[in-house]
Amino acid sequence: MSRAPSAIVIGLGAVGSACAAALASVGCRVTAIGDPRRSTTRRSGGYLLLQSKFPGPLLDLAARSLELFDDLAREAPHLGYRRTGSLLLAADESEAARLHVRVRALRQAGVPLQWLDGDTLRRIQPGLSTAVDAGSFCPLDGQIEPSALAEHWRHVLLKRGGQIVESPLSELDAEPAGGFRAVGPEVDVRGELVVLAGGPWSPPLAANLGLTLDIQPRRGWLFRAVADRPIASCPLLGGDYLAAKSSTRAYEVAFNLQQFSSGEVVLGGTREFVGFSEAGGEEARREVLRVAARYVEGLDRLEWDSGAAGFRPWAPCPYLGRTEVAGCYLACGFEGDGVTLSAAAAERIAMQVVEDGLTTA
Ligand SMILES: Cc1cc2nc3c(=O)[nH]c(=O)nc-3n(C[C@H](O)[C@H](O)[C@H](O)COP(=O)(O)OP(=O)(O)OC[C@H]3O[C@@H](n4cnc5c(N)ncnc54)[C@H](O)[C@@H]3O)c2cc1C
């Protein structure tokens, strides 16, 4: 192919923006499209965790993303990226036993986890409750500000000559002569290739191309407050977080807490299959604070906001890469890991596009 191919990227969240920037860097002329009313990334936490993964391909992808974030943070220090480490906490013996099994499995996979007792944990993190009697520390983990990250990649895309269109899409079609066409009130664009990164809204767009995706919105509430003291020097998670994440029950709640350098603390969270409903924030806040009290003291004394519900794109397994429709690539279904996996997912898509001979790179 002798000239730059045109690419449509659907999605301006962390994943879509990363893919758009990556495609522009391998020589595509990219138009990235997003509906400004829809975004999981804007309502996301910013944990970048290895110790919340099972050994296997997603753990490897997360580790690669963290390496890419190290490089990114050097050119963009405003993203709030820090390798703070993360703590998974056990507030009773059975939680500790389950956590310890995972620690052994992850250590065998090369993740350098440290197993700490309650007193050591309280020395590192003074506000922890006296019930916390063990926990694992992953020094490789980190955090980032998700909206700033997505915005940064959109900025990179523009610098590399790409375009951004804010519009819902009503149609995405494969053209009879090859390539794709995306149509919405503010856009009518053709591309030789398309990347679908529409988060939990991906299935109807994929269906237009004859692809069936098993992605469902999994609601999560996050609550924010400003604290005038350090509460979480790194992401803190309850030992039950892993079970909640991997379960498919209609309702789960598990403790997680993050603090940014501004002092802002972000507390979660629920995992609920309730479609795109945003009802029930008050009840969710009570429940999240009740669970959080097992791990950290005094959180109920902060002034929490009324919360925001985001919709994780749940799938049995993420959809990443080329499809049976030539020129169509998927980057969706990352549930609670899309921010973490975005950098490596985008790298994978760009590599496949190059391998498939669709670019000049
Ligand atoms: C409460 C909560 C906490 C989380 N915490 C973390 C965390 O700590 N770490 C982590 O890694 N992940 C976390 N996640 C998960 C993470 O937020 C998601 O996996 C990630 O945001 C998905 O990014 P995305 O780009 O795939 O989707 P989105 O951010 O949802 O972006 C989808 C894009 O597609 C566009 N789009 C969809 N349909 C259309 C259409 N028809 N027309 C035009 N545009 C369309 C949307 O407008 C949007 O731009 C959390 C999620 C929630 C809800």
Side-chain angles (χ1 to χ4, degrees), residues 10-16 33-36 38-41 43-48 167-169 197-201 205 218 220-222 310-313 331-332 334-341:
I10 299 170
L12 291 174
V15 178
I33 305 164
D35 178 347
R38 295 172 167 177
S39 172
T40 312
T41 301
R43 295 183 168 193
S44 179
Y47 308 131
L48 307 171
S167 169
L169 284 180
W201 300 277
L205 292 165
R218 194 178 196 191
W221 283 96
L222 286 184
F311 300 97
R312 301 177 187 91
C332 46
F334 295 105
E335 212 263 358
D337 292 319
V339 175
T340 307
L341 300 177

mmCIF file of all heavy atoms in Angstrom, residues 10-16 33-36 38-41 43-48 167-169 197-201 205 218 220-222 310-313 331-332 334-341, ligand 1:
data_model
loop_
_atom_site.group_PDB
_atom_site.id
_atom_site.type_symbol
_atom_site.label_atom_id
_atom_site.label_comp_id
_atom_site.label_asym_id
_atom_site.label_seq_id
_atom_site.Cartn_x
_atom_site.Cartn_y
_atom_site.Cartn_z
ATOM 1 N N ILE A 10 -13.860 3.888 16.635
ATOM 2 C CA ILE A 10 -15.102 4.244 17.338
ATOM 3 C C ILE A 10 -14.834 4.134 18.818
ATOM 4 O O ILE A 10 -14.565 3.051 19.336
ATOM 5 C CB ILE A 10 -16.257 3.330 16.909
ATOM 6 C CG1 ILE A 10 -16.469 3.504 15.409
ATOM 7 C CG2 ILE A 10 -17.526 3.691 17.677
ATOM 8 C CD1 ILE A 10 -17.407 2.501 14.820
ATOM 9 N N GLY A 11 -14.875 5.279 19.485
ATOM 10 C CA GLY A 11 -14.630 5.317 20.918
ATOM 11 C C GLY A 11 -13.564 6.330 21.274
ATOM 12 O O GLY A 11 -12.470 6.321 20.700
ATOM 13 N N LEU A 12 -13.915 7.203 22.207
ATOM 14 C CA LEU A 12 -12.962 8.208 22.688
ATOM 15 C C LEU A 12 -12.678 8.014 24.179
ATOM 16 O O LEU A 12 -12.322 8.949 24.888
ATOM 17 C CB LEU A 12 -13.500 9.617 22.427
ATOM 18 C CG LEU A 12 -13.563 10.039 20.958
ATOM 19 C CD1 LEU A 12 -14.257 11.401 20.820
ATOM 20 C CD2 LEU A 12 -12.155 10.106 20.356
ATOM 21 N N GLY A 13 -12.898 6.805 24.683
ATOM 22 C CA GLY A 13 -12.511 6.493 26.059
ATOM 23 C C GLY A 13 -11.025 6.179 26.110
ATOM 24 O O GLY A 13 -10.284 6.437 25.147
ATOM 25 N N ALA A 14 -10.578 5.620 27.228
ATOM 26 C CA ALA A 14 -9.149 5.306 27.366
ATOM 27 C C ALA A 14 -8.698 4.372 26.243
ATOM 28 O O ALA A 14 -7.641 4.577 25.634
ATOM 29 C CB ALA A 14 -8.898 4.648 28.722
ATOM 30 N N VAL A 15 -9.518 3.363 25.933
ATOM 31 C CA VAL A 15 -9.094 2.356 24.957
ATOM 32 C C VAL A 15 -9.124 2.927 23.538
ATOM 33 O O VAL A 15 -8.151 2.827 22.785
ATOM 34 C CB VAL A 15 -9.974 1.088 25.067
ATOM 35 C CG1 VAL A 15 -9.570 0.065 24.017
ATOM 36 C CG2 VAL A 15 -9.879 0.485 26.475
ATOM 37 N N GLY A 16 -10.248 3.552 23.159
ATOM 38 C CA GLY A 16 -10.358 4.097 21.805
ATOM 39 C C GLY A 16 -9.325 5.184 21.548
ATOM 40 O O GLY A 16 -8.684 5.208 20.476
ATOM 41 N N ILE A 33 -14.167 8.726 16.682
ATOM 42 C CA ILE A 33 -15.535 9.209 16.904
ATOM 43 C C ILE A 33 -16.023 8.755 18.270
ATOM 44 O O ILE A 33 -15.836 7.599 18.660
ATOM 45 C CB ILE A 33 -16.487 8.623 15.824
ATOM 46 C CG1 ILE A 33 -15.961 8.945 14.430
ATOM 47 C CG2 ILE A 33 -17.905 9.161 16.008
ATOM 48 C CD1 ILE A 33 -16.590 8.096 13.332
ATOM 49 N N GLY A 34 -16.673 9.664 18.991
ATOM 50 C CA GLY A 34 -17.266 9.277 20.268
ATOM 51 C C GLY A 34 -18.509 10.089 20.550
ATOM 52 O O GLY A 34 -18.617 11.251 20.141
ATOM 53 N N ASP A 35 -19.432 9.447 21.225
ATOM 54 C CA ASP A 35 -20.660 10.123 21.647
ATOM 55 C C ASP A 35 -20.367 10.794 22.988
ATOM 56 O O ASP A 35 -20.073 10.101 23.967
ATOM 57 C CB ASP A 35 -21.758 9.055 21.787
ATOM 58 C CG ASP A 35 -23.075 9.626 22.273
ATOM 59 O OD1 ASP A 35 -23.089 10.787 22.739
ATOM 60 O OD2 ASP A 35 -24.080 8.901 22.200
ATOM 61 N N PRO A 36 -20.428 12.135 23.045
ATOM 62 C CA PRO A 36 -20.018 12.813 24.287
ATOM 63 C C PRO A 36 -20.878 12.448 25.502
ATOM 64 O O PRO A 36 -20.460 12.649 26.630
ATOM 65 C CB PRO A 36 -20.147 14.305 23.949
ATOM 66 C CG PRO A 36 -20.914 14.384 22.683
ATOM 67 C CD PRO A 36 -20.816 13.063 21.979
ATOM 68 N N ARG A 38 -21.624 9.403 26.391
ATOM 69 C CA ARG A 38 -21.310 8.054 26.865
ATOM 70 C C ARG A 38 -19.821 7.917 27.142
ATOM 71 O O ARG A 38 -19.009 8.136 26.245
ATOM 72 C CB ARG A 38 -21.667 7.033 25.788
ATOM 73 C CG ARG A 38 -23.130 6.951 25.484
ATOM 74 C CD ARG A 38 -23.316 6.060 24.273
ATOM 75 N NE ARG A 38 -24.704 5.695 24.092
ATOM 76 C CZ ARG A 38 -25.154 4.973 23.078
ATOM 77 N NH1 ARG A 38 -24.310 4.532 22.161
ATOM 78 N NH2 ARG A 38 -26.429 4.679 22.984
ATOM 79 N N SER A 39 -19.478 7.545 28.359
ATOM 80 C CA SER A 39 -18.071 7.264 28.658
ATOM 81 C C SER A 39 -17.960 6.511 29.979
ATOM 82 O O SER A 39 -18.458 6.981 31.000
ATOM 83 C CB SER A 39 -17.277 8.570 28.754
ATOM 84 O OG SER A 39 -15.978 8.299 29.217
ATOM 85 N N THR A 40 -17.322 5.394 29.957
ATOM 86 C CA THR A 40 -16.984 4.707 31.204
ATOM 87 C C THR A 40 -15.720 5.321 31.796
ATOM 88 O O THR A 40 -15.606 5.487 33.013
ATOM 89 C CB THR A 40 -16.736 3.203 30.944
ATOM 90 O OG1 THR A 40 -17.806 2.705 30.153
ATOM 91 C CG2 THR A 40 -16.676 2.426 32.232
ATOM 92 N N THR A 41 -14.803 5.681 30.927
ATOM 93 C CA THR A 41 -13.517 6.204 31.376
ATOM 94 C C THR A 41 -13.692 7.440 32.265
ATOM 95 O O THR A 41 -12.987 7.591 33.262
ATOM 96 C CB THR A 41 -12.654 6.544 30.139
ATOM 97 O OG1 THR A 41 -12.486 5.343 29.369
ATOM 98 C CG2 THR A 41 -11.310 7.104 30.524
ATOM 99 N N ARG A 43 -15.861 7.980 34.318
ATOM 100 C CA ARG A 43 -16.393 7.608 35.636
ATOM 101 C C ARG A 43 -15.598 6.460 36.250
ATOM 102 O O ARG A 43 -16.133 5.691 37.049
ATOM 103 C CB ARG A 43 -17.859 7.226 35.489
ATOM 104 C CG ARG A 43 -18.673 8.428 35.047
ATOM 105 C CD ARG A 43 -20.117 8.116 34.950
ATOM 106 N NE ARG A 43 -20.883 9.352 34.795
ATOM 107 C CZ ARG A 43 -22.175 9.423 34.930
ATOM 108 N NH1 ARG A 43 -22.875 8.356 35.226
ATOM 109 N NH2 ARG A 43 -22.810 10.568 34.778
ATOM 110 N N SER A 44 -14.364 6.386 35.867
ATOM 111 C CA SER A 44 -13.558 5.225 36.256
ATOM 112 C C SER A 44 -12.617 5.550 37.397
ATOM 113 O O SER A 44 -12.198 6.692 37.576
ATOM 114 C CB SER A 44 -12.732 4.793 35.047
ATOM 115 O OG SER A 44 -11.908 3.701 35.361
ATOM 116 N N GLY A 45 -12.236 4.518 38.130
ATOM 117 C CA GLY A 45 -11.093 4.615 39.022
ATOM 118 C C GLY A 45 -9.822 4.556 38.191
ATOM 119 O O GLY A 45 -9.863 4.253 36.998
ATOM 120 N N GLY A 46 -8.702 4.831 38.840
ATOM 121 C CA GLY A 46 -7.442 4.867 38.104
ATOM 122 C C GLY A 46 -6.411 3.877 38.621
ATOM 123 O O GLY A 46 -5.218 4.146 38.573
ATOM 124 N N TYR A 47 -6.860 2.719 39.095
ATOM 125 C CA TYR A 47 -5.888 1.715 39.543
ATOM 126 C C TYR A 47 -5.234 1.053 38.353
ATOM 127 O O TYR A 47 -5.909 0.748 37.362
ATOM 128 C CB TYR A 47 -6.556 0.583 40.338
ATOM 129 C CG TYR A 47 -7.428 1.015 41.466
ATOM 130 C CD1 TYR A 47 -8.701 0.501 41.599
ATOM 131 C CD2 TYR A 47 -6.975 1.916 42.407
ATOM 132 C CE1 TYR A 47 -9.518 0.884 42.649
ATOM 133 C CE2 TYR A 47 -7.782 2.306 43.461
ATOM 134 C CZ TYR A 47 -9.055 1.790 43.572
ATOM 135 O OH TYR A 47 -9.860 2.172 44.590
ATOM 136 N N LEU A 48 -3.955 0.795 38.490
ATOM 137 C CA LEU A 48 -3.218 0.028 37.481
ATOM 138 C C LEU A 48 -2.623 -1.156 38.238
ATOM 139 O O LEU A 48 -1.584 -1.031 38.877
ATOM 140 C CB LEU A 48 -2.117 0.899 36.868
ATOM 141 C CG LEU A 48 -2.568 2.255 36.300
ATOM 142 C CD1 LEU A 48 -1.375 3.114 35.923
ATOM 143 C CD2 LEU A 48 -3.500 2.068 35.105
ATOM 144 N N SER A 167 -19.826 12.752 18.172
ATOM 145 C CA SER A 167 -21.163 12.524 17.631
ATOM 146 C C SER A 167 -21.573 11.090 17.953
ATOM 147 O O SER A 167 -20.736 10.185 17.908
ATOM 148 C CB SER A 167 -21.141 12.697 16.104
ATOM 149 O OG SER A 167 -22.362 12.243 15.550
ATOM 150 N N PRO A 168 -22.852 10.876 18.250
ATOM 151 C CA PRO A 168 -23.309 9.478 18.290
ATOM 152 C C PRO A 168 -23.285 8.928 16.876
ATOM 153 O O PRO A 168 -23.322 9.693 15.909
ATOM 154 C CB PRO A 168 -24.749 9.585 18.815
ATOM 155 C CG PRO A 168 -25.158 11.001 18.607
ATOM 156 C CD PRO A 168 -23.914 11.843 18.512
ATOM 157 N N LEU A 169 -23.204 7.617 16.766
ATOM 158 C CA LEU A 169 -23.275 6.982 15.442
ATOM 159 C C LEU A 169 -24.608 6.273 15.314
ATOM 160 O O LEU A 169 -25.034 5.590 16.238
ATOM 161 C CB LEU A 169 -22.170 5.940 15.294
ATOM 162 C CG LEU A 169 -20.761 6.445 15.050
ATOM 163 C CD1 LEU A 169 -19.813 5.259 14.925
ATOM 164 C CD2 LEU A 169 -20.691 7.306 13.797
ATOM 165 N N ALA A 197 -14.066 0.376 19.636
ATOM 166 C CA ALA A 197 -13.699 0.488 21.055
ATOM 167 C C ALA A 197 -14.814 1.257 21.758
ATOM 168 O O ALA A 197 -14.587 2.287 22.385
ATOM 169 C CB ALA A 197 -12.350 1.201 21.195
ATOM 170 N N GLY A 198 -16.007 0.727 21.629
ATOM 171 C CA GLY A 198 -17.202 1.429 22.133
ATOM 172 C C GLY A 198 -17.586 1.054 23.554
ATOM 173 O O GLY A 198 -18.713 1.322 23.964
ATOM 174 N N GLY A 199 -16.662 0.430 24.309
ATOM 175 C CA GLY A 199 -16.963 0.086 25.698
ATOM 176 C C GLY A 199 -18.225 -0.771 25.785
ATOM 177 O O GLY A 199 -18.454 -1.652 24.940
ATOM 178 N N PRO A 200 -19.088 -0.506 26.775
ATOM 179 C CA PRO A 200 -20.272 -1.350 26.952
ATOM 180 C C PRO A 200 -21.323 -1.148 25.858
ATOM 181 O O PRO A 200 -22.285 -1.893 25.789
ATOM 182 C CB PRO A 200 -20.809 -0.904 28.319
ATOM 183 C CG PRO A 200 -20.313 0.491 28.483
ATOM 184 C CD PRO A 200 -18.974 0.546 27.802
ATOM 185 N N TRP A 201 -21.123 -0.131 25.012
ATOM 186 C CA TRP A 201 -22.082 0.145 23.936
ATOM 187 C C TRP A 201 -21.645 -0.494 22.609
ATOM 188 O O TRP A 201 -22.205 -0.200 21.553
ATOM 189 C CB TRP A 201 -22.238 1.665 23.765
ATOM 190 C CG TRP A 201 -22.730 2.342 24.998
ATOM 191 C CD1 TRP A 201 -24.030 2.456 25.414
ATOM 192 C CD2 TRP A 201 -21.930 2.982 26.011
ATOM 193 N NE1 TRP A 201 -24.077 3.117 26.623
ATOM 194 C CE2 TRP A 201 -22.818 3.442 27.004
ATOM 195 C CE3 TRP A 201 -20.560 3.194 26.182
ATOM 196 C CZ2 TRP A 201 -22.372 4.123 28.151
ATOM 197 C CZ3 TRP A 201 -20.111 3.860 27.325
ATOM 198 C CH2 TRP A 201 -21.022 4.319 28.282
ATOM 199 N N LEU A 205 -23.172 -1.895 17.554
ATOM 200 C CA LEU A 205 -22.339 -1.446 16.429
ATOM 201 C C LEU A 205 -21.683 -2.652 15.754
ATOM 202 O O LEU A 205 -21.629 -2.743 14.526
ATOM 203 C CB LEU A 205 -21.279 -0.453 16.925
ATOM 204 C CG LEU A 205 -21.849 0.885 17.392
ATOM 205 C CD1 LEU A 205 -20.816 1.669 18.201
ATOM 206 C CD2 LEU A 205 -22.319 1.718 16.204
ATOM 207 N N ARG A 218 -21.755 -3.425 33.438
ATOM 208 C CA ARG A 218 -21.705 -3.836 34.842
ATOM 209 C C ARG A 218 -21.482 -2.571 35.666
ATOM 210 O O ARG A 218 -20.371 -2.022 35.695
ATOM 211 C CB ARG A 218 -20.571 -4.832 35.055
ATOM 212 C CG ARG A 218 -20.682 -5.549 36.381
ATOM 213 C CD ARG A 218 -19.591 -6.567 36.551
ATOM 214 N NE ARG A 218 -19.914 -7.483 37.621
ATOM 215 C CZ ARG A 218 -19.063 -8.352 38.137
ATOM 216 N NH1 ARG A 218 -17.837 -8.425 37.675
ATOM 217 N NH2 ARG A 218 -19.432 -9.150 39.115
ATOM 218 N N GLY A 220 -20.888 0.318 38.323
ATOM 219 C CA GLY A 220 -20.061 0.515 39.508
ATOM 220 C C GLY A 220 -20.249 1.920 40.029
ATOM 221 O O GLY A 220 -20.192 2.879 39.255
ATOM 222 N N TRP A 221 -20.500 2.049 41.331
ATOM 223 C CA TRP A 221 -20.589 3.376 41.953
ATOM 224 C C TRP A 221 -19.252 3.755 42.552
ATOM 225 O O TRP A 221 -18.607 2.943 43.219
ATOM 226 C CB TRP A 221 -21.633 3.361 43.080
ATOM 227 C CG TRP A 221 -23.043 3.396 42.584
ATOM 228 C CD1 TRP A 221 -23.862 2.322 42.396
ATOM 229 C CD2 TRP A 221 -23.801 4.556 42.219
ATOM 230 N NE1 TRP A 221 -25.095 2.741 41.919
ATOM 231 C CE2 TRP A 221 -25.080 4.107 41.808
ATOM 232 C CE3 TRP A 221 -23.531 5.919 42.184
ATOM 233 C CZ2 TRP A 221 -26.077 4.981 41.381
ATOM 234 C CZ3 TRP A 221 -24.514 6.782 41.756
ATOM 235 C CH2 TRP A 221 -25.771 6.320 41.361
ATOM 236 N N LEU A 222 -18.851 5.013 42.330
ATOM 237 C CA LEU A 222 -17.670 5.571 42.993
ATOM 238 C C LEU A 222 -18.086 6.834 43.713
ATOM 239 O O LEU A 222 -18.895 7.617 43.200
ATOM 240 C CB LEU A 222 -16.593 5.937 41.976
ATOM 241 C CG LEU A 222 -15.798 4.819 41.306
ATOM 242 C CD1 LEU A 222 -14.727 5.429 40.412
ATOM 243 C CD2 LEU A 222 -15.164 3.889 42.328
ATOM 244 N N GLY A 310 -20.732 4.306 36.798
ATOM 245 C CA GLY A 310 -20.114 4.018 35.499
ATOM 246 C C GLY A 310 -20.484 2.596 35.098
ATOM 247 O O GLY A 310 -20.929 1.807 35.941
ATOM 248 N N PHE A 311 -20.268 2.278 33.844
ATOM 249 C CA PHE A 311 -20.711 0.966 33.336
ATOM 250 C C PHE A 311 -19.532 0.212 32.731
ATOM 251 O O PHE A 311 -19.125 0.486 31.603
ATOM 252 C CB PHE A 311 -21.849 1.166 32.323
ATOM 253 C CG PHE A 311 -23.024 1.846 32.958
ATOM 254 C CD1 PHE A 311 -23.207 3.215 32.826
ATOM 255 C CD2 PHE A 311 -23.896 1.126 33.758
ATOM 256 C CE1 PHE A 311 -24.259 3.850 33.460
ATOM 257 C CE2 PHE A 311 -24.949 1.751 34.401
ATOM 258 C CZ PHE A 311 -25.133 3.122 34.247
ATOM 259 N N ARG A 312 -18.992 -0.683 33.546
ATOM 260 C CA ARG A 312 -17.854 -1.475 33.057
ATOM 261 C C ARG A 312 -18.320 -2.368 31.904
ATOM 262 O O ARG A 312 -19.385 -2.979 31.989
ATOM 263 C CB ARG A 312 -17.311 -2.382 34.155
ATOM 264 C CG ARG A 312 -16.835 -1.658 35.399
ATOM 265 C CD ARG A 312 -16.399 -2.678 36.447
ATOM 266 N NE ARG A 312 -16.079 -2.043 37.717
ATOM 267 C CZ ARG A 312 -16.956 -1.846 38.688
ATOM 268 N NH1 ARG A 312 -18.220 -2.205 38.551
ATOM 269 N NH2 ARG A 312 -16.585 -1.255 39.813
ATOM 270 N N PRO A 313 -17.514 -2.448 30.856
ATOM 271 C CA PRO A 313 -17.882 -3.337 29.749
ATOM 272 C C PRO A 313 -17.511 -4.788 30.104
ATOM 273 O O PRO A 313 -16.423 -5.251 29.794
ATOM 274 C CB PRO A 313 -17.062 -2.804 28.578
ATOM 275 C CG PRO A 313 -15.905 -2.088 29.208
ATOM 276 C CD PRO A 313 -16.288 -1.673 30.592
ATOM 277 N N ALA A 331 -11.521 -3.754 20.228
ATOM 278 C CA ALA A 331 -10.793 -3.452 21.469
ATOM 279 C C ALA A 331 -11.856 -3.080 22.496
ATOM 280 O O ALA A 331 -12.081 -1.905 22.785
ATOM 281 C CB ALA A 331 -9.800 -2.309 21.255
ATOM 282 N N CYS A 332 -12.544 -4.074 23.002
ATOM 283 C CA CYS A 332 -13.650 -3.785 23.928
ATOM 284 C C CYS A 332 -13.896 -4.968 24.864
ATOM 285 O O CYS A 332 -13.381 -6.063 24.641
ATOM 286 C CB CYS A 332 -14.917 -3.420 23.162
ATOM 287 S SG CYS A 332 -15.297 -4.498 21.773
ATOM 288 N N PHE A 334 -13.339 -4.840 28.398
ATOM 289 C CA PHE A 334 -12.256 -4.939 29.393
ATOM 290 C C PHE A 334 -12.747 -4.825 30.843
ATOM 291 O O PHE A 334 -11.934 -4.666 31.749
ATOM 292 C CB PHE A 334 -11.182 -3.882 29.114
ATOM 293 C CG PHE A 334 -10.462 -4.073 27.805
ATOM 294 C CD1 PHE A 334 -10.724 -3.275 26.715
ATOM 295 C CD2 PHE A 334 -9.536 -5.089 27.671
ATOM 296 C CE1 PHE A 334 -10.075 -3.463 25.503
ATOM 297 C CE2 PHE A 334 -8.865 -5.296 26.471
ATOM 298 C CZ PHE A 334 -9.141 -4.477 25.383
ATOM 299 N N GLU A 335 -14.033 -4.854 31.066
ATOM 300 C CA GLU A 335 -14.627 -4.781 32.415
ATOM 301 C C GLU A 335 -13.910 -3.745 33.288
ATOM 302 O O GLU A 335 -13.834 -2.595 32.887
ATOM 303 C CB GLU A 335 -14.639 -6.183 33.069
ATOM 304 C CG GLU A 335 -15.832 -6.392 34.017
ATOM 305 C CD GLU A 335 -15.506 -6.159 35.480
ATOM 306 O OE1 GLU A 335 -14.368 -5.863 35.829
ATOM 307 O OE2 GLU A 335 -16.447 -6.284 36.300
ATOM 308 N N GLY A 336 -13.367 -4.179 34.417
ATOM 309 C CA GLY A 336 -12.755 -3.217 35.346
ATOM 310 C C GLY A 336 -11.283 -2.975 35.095
ATOM 311 O O GLY A 336 -10.579 -2.483 35.983
ATOM 312 N N ASP A 337 -10.798 -3.282 33.891
ATOM 313 C CA ASP A 337 -9.349 -3.168 33.630
ATOM 314 C C ASP A 337 -9.011 -2.331 32.407
ATOM 315 O O ASP A 337 -7.867 -2.339 31.949
ATOM 316 C CB ASP A 337 -8.756 -4.577 33.409
ATOM 317 C CG ASP A 337 -8.787 -5.401 34.676
ATOM 318 O OD1 ASP A 337 -8.498 -4.840 35.740
ATOM 319 O OD2 ASP A 337 -9.118 -6.592 34.595
ATOM 320 N N GLY A 338 -10.003 -1.637 31.858
ATOM 321 C CA GLY A 338 -9.764 -0.962 30.578
ATOM 322 C C GLY A 338 -8.729 0.137 30.639
ATOM 323 O O GLY A 338 -7.980 0.340 29.675
ATOM 324 N N VAL A 339 -8.672 0.845 31.756
ATOM 325 C CA VAL A 339 -7.667 1.912 31.870
ATOM 326 C C VAL A 339 -6.286 1.264 31.903
ATOM 327 O O VAL A 339 -5.369 1.650 31.170
ATOM 328 C CB VAL A 339 -7.938 2.761 33.136
ATOM 329 C CG1 VAL A 339 -6.841 3.788 33.334
ATOM 330 C CG2 VAL A 339 -9.306 3.429 33.038
ATOM 331 N N THR A 340 -6.171 0.235 32.733
ATOM 332 C CA THR A 340 -4.886 -0.474 32.867
ATOM 333 C C THR A 340 -4.420 -1.044 31.529
ATOM 334 O O THR A 340 -3.248 -0.918 31.167
ATOM 335 C CB THR A 340 -5.040 -1.652 33.853
ATOM 336 O OG1 THR A 340 -5.592 -1.147 35.058
ATOM 337 C CG2 THR A 340 -3.722 -2.339 34.120
ATOM 338 N N LEU A 341 -5.336 -1.674 30.820
ATOM 339 C CA LEU A 341 -4.925 -2.422 29.623
ATOM 340 C C LEU A 341 -4.843 -1.561 28.370
ATOM 341 O O LEU A 341 -4.360 -2.023 27.327
ATOM 342 C CB LEU A 341 -5.905 -3.580 29.381
ATOM 343 C CG LEU A 341 -5.994 -4.602 30.533
ATOM 344 C CD1 LEU A 341 -7.042 -5.674 30.215
ATOM 345 C CD2 LEU A 341 -4.648 -5.262 30.795
HETATM 346 C C1 LIG B 1 -16.641 2.442 38.918
HETATM 347 C C2 LIG B 1 -15.575 1.985 37.969
HETATM 348 C C3 LIG B 1 -14.269 1.915 38.395
HETATM 349 C C4 LIG B 1 -13.273 1.469 37.516
HETATM 350 N N1 LIG B 1 -11.996 1.445 37.955
HETATM 351 C C5 LIG B 1 -11.019 1.047 37.104
HETATM 352 C C6 LIG B 1 -9.667 1.058 37.522
HETATM 353 O O1 LIG B 1 -9.355 1.440 38.643
HETATM 354 N N2 LIG B 1 -8.718 0.650 36.646
HETATM 355 C C7 LIG B 1 -9.045 0.220 35.380
HETATM 356 O O2 LIG B 1 -8.138 -0.170 34.640
HETATM 357 N N3 LIG B 1 -10.304 0.234 34.952
HETATM 358 C C8 LIG B 1 -11.305 0.623 35.785
HETATM 359 N N4 LIG B 1 -12.603 0.609 35.391
HETATM 360 C C9 LIG B 1 -12.907 0.077 34.069
HETATM 361 C C10 LIG B 1 -12.615 1.101 33.006
HETATM 362 O O3 LIG B 1 -13.232 2.315 33.338
HETATM 363 C C11 LIG B 1 -13.146 0.610 31.678
HETATM 364 O O4 LIG B 1 -12.701 -0.700 31.404
HETATM 365 C C12 LIG B 1 -12.648 1.550 30.589
HETATM 366 O O5 LIG B 1 -13.019 2.867 30.890
HETATM 367 C C13 LIG B 1 -13.210 1.149 29.274
HETATM 368 O O6 LIG B 1 -12.719 2.081 28.345
HETATM 369 P P1 LIG B 1 -13.268 2.094 26.891
HETATM 370 O O7 LIG B 1 -12.510 3.114 26.158
HETATM 371 O O8 LIG B 1 -13.306 0.685 26.397
HETATM 372 O O9 LIG B 1 -14.815 2.486 27.077
HETATM 373 P P2 LIG B 1 -15.498 3.913 27.332
HETATM 374 O O10 LIG B 1 -14.675 4.770 28.202
HETATM 375 O O11 LIG B 1 -16.879 3.608 27.764
HETATM 376 O O12 LIG B 1 -15.541 4.536 25.910
HETATM 377 C C14 LIG B 1 -16.442 4.079 24.924
HETATM 378 C C15 LIG B 1 -16.460 5.114 23.834
HETATM 379 O O13 LIG B 1 -17.274 4.653 22.761
HETATM 380 C C16 LIG B 1 -18.159 5.695 22.391
HETATM 381 N N5 LIG B 1 -19.366 5.136 21.822
HETATM 382 C C17 LIG B 1 -20.054 4.053 22.235
HETATM 383 N N6 LIG B 1 -21.148 3.869 21.450
HETATM 384 C C18 LIG B 1 -21.133 4.851 20.536
HETATM 385 C C19 LIG B 1 -21.978 5.213 19.461
HETATM 386 N N7 LIG B 1 -23.083 4.498 19.147
HETATM 387 N N8 LIG B 1 -21.687 6.319 18.740
HETATM 388 C C20 LIG B 1 -20.569 7.040 19.006
HETATM 389 N N9 LIG B 1 -19.729 6.739 20.039
HETATM 390 C C21 LIG B 1 -20.002 5.666 20.769
HETATM 391 C C22 LIG B 1 -18.446 6.429 23.680
HETATM 392 O O14 LIG B 1 -18.950 7.715 23.452
HETATM 393 C C23 LIG B 1 -17.058 6.450 24.297
HETATM 394 O O15 LIG B 1 -16.289 7.493 23.755
HETATM 395 C C24 LIG B 1 -13.603 1.087 36.212
HETATM 396 C C25 LIG B 1 -14.923 1.210 35.771
HETATM 397 C C26 LIG B 1 -15.903 1.659 36.638
HETATM 398 C C27 LIG B 1 -17.305 1.792 36.151
#
